[in-house]
Amino acid sequence: MREWNLTASDPLSLFLAADARFGSPDYSDDQVWECVLRGGDPPALAVETMLGLRAVSLRLFPIFIQGSRPVQDPAVFASPPEVRRFAPNYLNVRCRPTVSLTAELEYWVPESHALAGRITLSTSGKESLSGECWLAGVLRPAAEGAPFAPESAGPYEGVYLRGGVRNAVPVLAAAGAAGTGRGAIPSLKMAFELEAGRPHSIRWVFCCRPTADEGLRCARTIFAREWDAEIARIELAAESLLEIETGRPDWDAVLAFSQQTAVQSLVGATRALPHSSPVVGRNPERGFSLRGDGGDYPPAWCGADLSDVMTILPVWALAHPEIARDLLRNFIAAAGEDLPDARPGAGKQRAGLLAPPLLAQAAGRALGGREGDPFLASLRPLIERCLDAWFSPDHDRDRDGAPEWDRLDSFGPQVTAMWAREDPWGGWIRPEETESPSLAALLLGECLAAARIVERAGDGGRAKLWKERSELARRALARMEAPEGYRTIDRVTHASPSGRKIWEGLSGGELKGSVRLNQPARLLVRCAGSRETRPVIQVTVDGENSEGAECGEIFRNEHFSWHRGSGTCFSRTVWTRITSIRVEGPSAEMTYSLEIPNLAREDLSHFLPLWSRAVSAPRAGKMFDRLGEGSEFDSPGGLRFLPRSDPAAGHPPAGGVWMFWNMLMGEAAIRSGRHALACAWTEKWMRTLAGALRADRSFRSCYDPDRAHGSGPRNSLQGIFPIGFFLAALGVLPVASNRVWAGGQSIFPFPVTLRWRGMTMRREGDTLEVEFPSGIRREYHGSGRTLITDGR
């Protein structure tokens, strides 16, 4: 485990949670902690939690007593706290509360309902030292409950602190507690006598169970465990995460905490999902389900998108390859014989959406360079059912080989402004009425990946089918070509109008005169301002259709898609001229509009063909130029999801920097040989994430384009630096302790050292030096994809 010297001014993400590699974190009662190196009320070196909103705050911190002077505020320590080692469920912090006293504080989460700690004290000089260490606990229950108060556990176990929160009783016990400390803050008192070279350790355990007796039993069990052996297990498991040295301390911290957050994102198996599964923001505010099954959890705990899973798969492929496969096996289990859901949750939540076509491409990340894995055979039926469904009439509504998205949340958590139902910047366009280059590009890549899988299985017929389907997606993309990229098109007209408002008025209003359209188009009817969820309305439009015939169309409330009293509806008719509009409705306060929808708006999803390798070199050059320095998508924080000129660009999270989309563009740049561009983006991402970790001590779902500030859940896996991209940027992929793939060259102008499972890899340019655990050294020069082994 790497030794660090991180202080409160460095990038930090000091969350502690039960690790799925050592047990099964409790989905319905998962207690997550955060270590704070300074500040708070009262100011202290503390670990904090909210017990899933059952507490306003719960803080545990040490108070050091020498003579009569208590010391607890790190601001007055002789040496401030430094983080020396960390893992998803372990943290080691050192400090010097006084000139003569050194303290090493260890925090360990053995399971979801407990936090254990050890304080090791030593004298900094040659003289003996005596004093007391108080372990303080401040509990502020959210509703029903009680703050900490001392209780007796019996003549042999001494005193402990007991509190109360909804449905649980927190208890804090310390080995050798000789009573309680003085003052208003409840604390347990332990005396110490120190001699030079002979440190003294104090162990404590916090448990939160339904009753105090259960909590005390849990604490006794943890006290009885071999702590040094448990920490040795954690240190051994740390070797399965990449230790990365770039020569840039901020980069190293961002990469280390990104891996930690990826590992921390997993909760345990449940009745709904047989394997560990990710939640988006595993943090102290979340983790308690009053219903007991997670059915009352917010969206961040109701399942992860395939885009989220793809981000963390490369980490798990290194840390625990079987868990990496399990993340995709959950999609198999949740689907059964049906179609895969986009977001299967551990509490049996379902998005009610067909999973985006990414399963075959995700499988490659789960395997992590391990070829010939039988896991693919188990995933293949689901991949093929998913693809068959996308090309079915339910999703390819006009049967032209270009399916349509179903909802605005069909692919990832980011808000596509064209589809968003927010005024004034939302486009209110229903995704199923359009054909998108993002879906066509994903289908192209997925069909080719599926063809490779079935070819390896010896099924040439199915491989031919998926190659034919990939050509359908390629032809669909060709219909969406624009001079410098791709555009969203109307699924009926295959046009991409820029948008125009034809009429706006109230109930009873009418169009004055007639309006001729520049080109045939379907129209968007919008209404807003109703106090009812689904008001009873009727809009009648008359005019001429694309064939020049006079016609009319009636829009009733059942035709509309409703959201908070506002509705939108696409016309079935393709119009060339509008002669009259009549509106009838119960509310005079409602406003109505008839407009040509604006399908010309762009976002990063329009550049997804670059990632799917579906773009000719000249077109790719133009598209990358539109993402380069000073472009509308460029920002100090990375690539904006929306261009700067879009009306929604200033509205987070729609206009934010999303790491998933930046990852895809970065991977596309590497595949296309745009190494300087990918390196420049990496500099911006690192600066943004390091700034957020300094300011907020946490990754967030997305980031402000112009400053290091995030939004969304804390400790969010959506905001981590993508480790898979970093390995691709280096052209290195470790497979086992005696095997590593090399290919391409590093995009960085400095050497990078990786350590993993006893293997050391040093990458610079197209040179890779490998030292295997066996002691054998290999050196490789070149850009061809090569498997390097120790020869055994």
Side-chain angles (χ1 to χ4, degrees):
M1 186 180 290
R2 179 174 176 175
E3 289 281 338
W4 300 79
N5 293 287
L6 299 174
T7 67
S9 60
D10 289 308
L12 295 173
S13 178
L14 303 180
F15 294 89
L16 289 160
D19 190 331
R21 294 174 295 176
F22 298 102
S24 184
D26 187 346
Y27 177 62
S28 61
D29 187 6
D30 180 51
Q31 298 161 23
V32 180
W33 296 79
E34 181 181 7
C35 181
V36 180
L37 299 184
R38 66 184 180 189
D41 181 20
L45 166 56
V47 281
E48 303 177 339
T49 186
M50 296 176 71
L51 295 174
L53 296 181
R54 285 177 287 183
V56 175
S57 70
L58 192 162
R59 306 181 76 232
L60 307 178
F61 53 90
I63 302 174
F64 304 98
I65 312 293
Q66 281 186 265
S68 59
R69 186 170 73 94
V71 179
Q72 73 180 47
D73 186 355
V76 300
F77 283 7
S79 178
E82 290 185 348
V83 174
R84 302 302 299 275
R85 292 179 293 163
F86 56 85
N89 64 336
Y90 173 77
L91 183 64
N92 181 298
V93 181
R94 290 186 187 178
C95 60
R96 289 176 61 201
T98 67
V99 174
S100 56
L101 180 65
T102 298
E104 178 181 352
L105 293 88
E106 296 172 279
Y107 305 96
W108 163 44
V109 179
E111 46 122 314
S112 280
H113 316 111
L115 173 69
R118 181 165 62 182
I119 304 172
T120 302
L121 304 173
S122 59
T123 176
S124 303
K126 297 182 179 180
E127 298 181 358
S128 60
L129 188 68
S130 63
E132 293 177 348
C133 178
W134 301 349
L135 180 62
V138 177
L139 169 60
R140 299 186 177 96
E144 57 198 72
F148 276 130
E151 293 279 346
S152 174
Y156 301 105
E157 294 185 292
V159 70
Y160 71 98
L161 298 184
R162 171 178 172 170
V165 295
R166 189 168 191 172
N167 289 15
V169 179
V171 299
L172 177 64
T180 58
R182 302 182 301 274
I185 299 175
S187 62
L188 301 175
K189 178 174 67 175
M190 286 75 66
F192 60 83
E193 295 280 346
L194 300 178
E195 296 181 10
R198 297 185 65 182
H200 174 77
S201 291
I202 297 167
R203 296 188 301 160
W204 57 267
V205 175
F206 168 92
C207 292
C208 186
R209 301 293 292 165
T211 67
D213 286 343
E214 289 180 71
L216 289 173
R217 283 197 299 271
C218 175
R220 293 185 198 110
T221 301
I222 294 170
F223 276 127
R225 293 167 72 170
E226 292 290 337
W227 287 37
D228 287 334
E230 296 286 354
I231 292 170
R233 285 180 65 208
I234 294 170
E235 291 176 341
L236 184 62
E239 293 187 4
S240 65
L241 296 178
L242 285 170
E243 183 181 311
I244 304 173
E245 292 184 8
T246 63
R248 301 185 174 194
D250 281 8
W251 284 40
D252 294 357
V254 167
L255 292 166
F257 286 123
S258 291
Q259 293 179 81
Q260 175 155 306
T261 302
V263 173
Q264 281 180 339
S265 68
L266 262 60
V267 295
T270 64
R271 292 182 179 179
L273 293 179
H275 308 288
S276 296
S277 62
V279 294
V280 170
R282 197 172 174 208
N283 57 52
E285 298 96 51
R286 305 297 180 212
F288 173 65
S289 169
L290 186 59
R291 285 179 43 175
D293 60 1
D296 50 349
Y297 276 148
W301 273 60
C302 290
D305 292 282
L306 259 175
S307 57
D308 304 324
V309 173
M310 285 185 68
T311 301
I312 64 173
L313 275 174
V315 176
W316 279 105
L318 294 170
H320 199 304
E322 195 60 27
I323 290 181
R325 298 178 183 93
D326 286 345
L327 293 176
L328 296 181
R329 289 187 180 113
N330 275 330
F331 285 86
I332 300 173
E337 297 300 318
D338 296 325
L339 298 175
D341 188 82
R343 287 185 297 280
K348 210 173 181 178
Q349 304 96 333
R350 298 292 183 266
L353 283 169
L354 178 63
L358 277 171
L359 283 167
Q361 296 165 91
R365 296 182 186 236
L367 294 178
R370 300 169 184 88
E371 298 182 344
D373 196 292
F375 161 70
L376 287 177
S378 65
L379 189 62
R380 175 187 163 184
L382 192 68
I383 292 171
E384 296 204 79
R385 285 207 305 273
C386 183
L387 277 173
D388 276 331
W390 275 112
F391 284 102
S392 73
D394 288 340
H395 299 280
D396 185 4
R397 294 161 179 87
D398 56 357
R399 305 297 291 142
D400 66 347
E404 302 85 33
W405 290 117
D406 298 315
R407 290 194 329 223
L408 56 88
D409 59 341
S410 286
F411 183 36
Q414 67 286 337
V415 179
T416 298
M418 186 189 304
W419 299 339
R421 297 184 291 187
E422 301 289 344
D423 283 322
W425 53 265
W428 285 80
I429 296 170
R430 291 163 68 171
E432 68 269 24
E433 301 291 352
T434 66
E435 293 176 351
S436 165
S438 62
L439 180 53
L442 288 182
L443 285 166
L444 172 58
E446 188 73 356
C447 287
L448 293 176
R452 290 192 293 270
I453 289 173
V454 297
E455 272 182 335
R456 288 174 189 157
D459 191 342
R462 295 296 286 180
K464 180 180 179 183
L465 169 66
W466 297 125
K467 289 177 181 178
E468 291 171 352
R469 293 273 179 87
S470 73
E471 288 305 311
L472 287 177
R474 198 182 299 275
R475 288 197 291 271
L477 276 174
R479 291 198 297 271
M480 302 175 198
E481 288 182 356
E484 296 183 334
Y486 293 86
R487 56 189 180 157
T488 297
I489 60 176
D490 185 298
R491 70 174 176 89
V492 174
T493 66
H494 289 170
S496 183
S498 298
R500 173 189 170 191
K501 186 166 286 187
I502 295 172
W503 174 85
E504 186 173 26
L506 303 173
S507 180
E510 294 184 3
L511 176 69
K512 296 181 179 179
S514 65
V515 177
R516 182 167 292 280
L517 310 185
N518 294 330
Q519 64 182 94
R522 293 199 299 160
L523 301 180
L524 183 68
V525 183
R526 293 178 56 183
C527 59
S530 173
R531 296 180 181 177
E532 300 174 289
T533 304
R534 296 174 64 90
V536 178
I537 62 171
Q538 179 172 298
V539 179
T540 305
V541 178
D542 294 312
E544 294 179 6
N545 63 20
S546 57
E547 297 175 354
E550 292 186 2
C551 64
E553 188 170 349
I554 298 176
F555 305 87
R556 297 187 177 90
N557 58 299
E558 63 266 23
H559 298 141
F560 284 75
S561 173
W562 295 100
H563 178 68
R564 297 176 183 172
S566 298
T568 179
C569 180
F570 253 78
S571 71
R572 296 176 296 280
T573 306
V574 178
W575 300 90
T576 57
R577 183 165 170 259
I578 306 300
T579 56
S580 72
I581 301 170
R582 297 185 301 280
V583 176
E584 302 173 46
S587 175
E589 299 175 358
M590 288 187 68
T591 60
Y592 300 83
S593 67
L594 186 70
E595 57 194 69
I596 299 172
N598 184 1
L599 300 185
R601 296 174 80 170
E602 280 188 302
D603 54 47
L604 281 185
S605 72
H606 289 74
F607 292 81
L608 202 53
L610 290 172
W611 182 73
S612 295
R613 305 174 188 176
V615 186
S616 65
R619 181 176 294 275
K622 293 179 181 178
M623 293 176 71
F624 278 120
D625 289 345
R626 296 186 60 216
L627 299 175
E629 188 74 29
S631 70
E632 283 238 284
F633 288 92
D634 180 52
S635 80
L639 292 172
R640 306 167 179 265
F641 185 66
L642 297 171
R644 190 179 290 105
S645 60
D646 193 281
H651 296 268
V657 173
W658 290 86
M659 287 309 302
F660 175 71
W661 285 100
N662 278 259
M663 173 186 77
L664 297 185
M665 295 303 102
E667 290 176 357
I670 292 172
R671 293 169 180 175
S672 299
R674 301 266 174 163
H675 293 174
L677 186 59
C679 187
W681 288 342
T682 304
E683 293 272 4
K684 294 183 178 185
W685 303 335
M686 286 293 187
R687 188 164 52 245
T688 297
L689 269 58
L693 291 183
R694 278 194 174 89
D696 199 26
R697 306 190 312 273
S698 178
F699 296 107
R700 296 280 193 156
S701 292
C702 73
Y703 300 96
D704 189 288
D706 300 307
R707 56 195 180 102
H709 174 75
S711 60
R714 300 188 74 224
N715 203 32
S716 174
L717 64 88
Q718 293 172 344
I720 66 175
F721 192 95
I723 299 301
F725 165 79
F726 191 79
L727 291 173
L730 288 177
V732 176
L733 182 60
V735 179
S737 59
N738 64 345
R739 288 181 294 155
V740 56
W741 284 103
Q745 65 182 47
S746 172
I747 70 170
F748 303 119
F750 48 81
V752 176
T753 300
L754 307 177
R755 295 183 181 87
W756 181 74
R757 296 188 185 274
M759 181 167 53
T760 301
M761 297 152 278
R762 186 179 185 275
R763 183 66 152 164
E764 185 172 12
D766 65 352
T767 298
L768 176 62
E769 300 171 3
V770 184
E771 182 177 353
F772 294 99
S774 61
I776 294 174
R777 296 172 180 264
R778 299 276 191 239
E779 186 169 326
Y780 173 73
H781 302 274
S783 58
R785 190 168 188 263
T786 303
L787 182 64
I788 302 170
T789 72
D790 66 357
R792 295 190 175 189

